[in-house]
Amino acid sequence: TYMDKLILDQQWNVDFGVEILQDKCKDKLQLMNNQTFLEWSKNNNYQISDNWHPLEEAHQAAAEYWSPKVRTLLNSSAKEIYNAFK
């Protein structure tokens, strides 16, 4: 996931290196219920810092939100690695 939509913004003085990184990662980025991490945190009433960064409670909830998917990915990768060395 990602904090806000600015991660993919190319309007404001984005150099070639940043464009390459954005292009390489944009298909891998995922949303939380169709929201960025900041939007999701606000909509779930988690505290946000004065600099617009979700605080610890939001991070804990996000870890719970993503845990099943991460666990599946890790198990899939572990099985693929295990089978590759049989």
Side-chain angles (χ1 to χ4, degrees), residues 30-58:
Q30 297 189 19
L31 297 170
M32 303 169 73
N33 294 335
N34 205 31
Q35 302 166 87
T36 66
F37 182 41
L38 182 59
E39 293 167 338
W40 179 84
S41 297
K42 286 179 180 180
N43 289 330
N44 284 286
N45 297 314
Y46 293 116
Q47 287 186 324
I48 310 288
S49 74
D50 293 339
N51 296 322
W52 293 20
H53 191 90
L55 299 179
E56 186 174 344
E57 187 180 14

Side-chain angles (χ1 to χ4, degrees), residues 1-2 26-32 35-36 66 69:
T1 188
Y2 48 102
K26 69 181 172 188
D27 293 337
K28 308 279 189 273
L29 296 173
Q30 297 189 19
L31 297 170
M32 303 169 73
Q35 302 166 87
T36 66
W66 287 109
K69 180 166 186 140

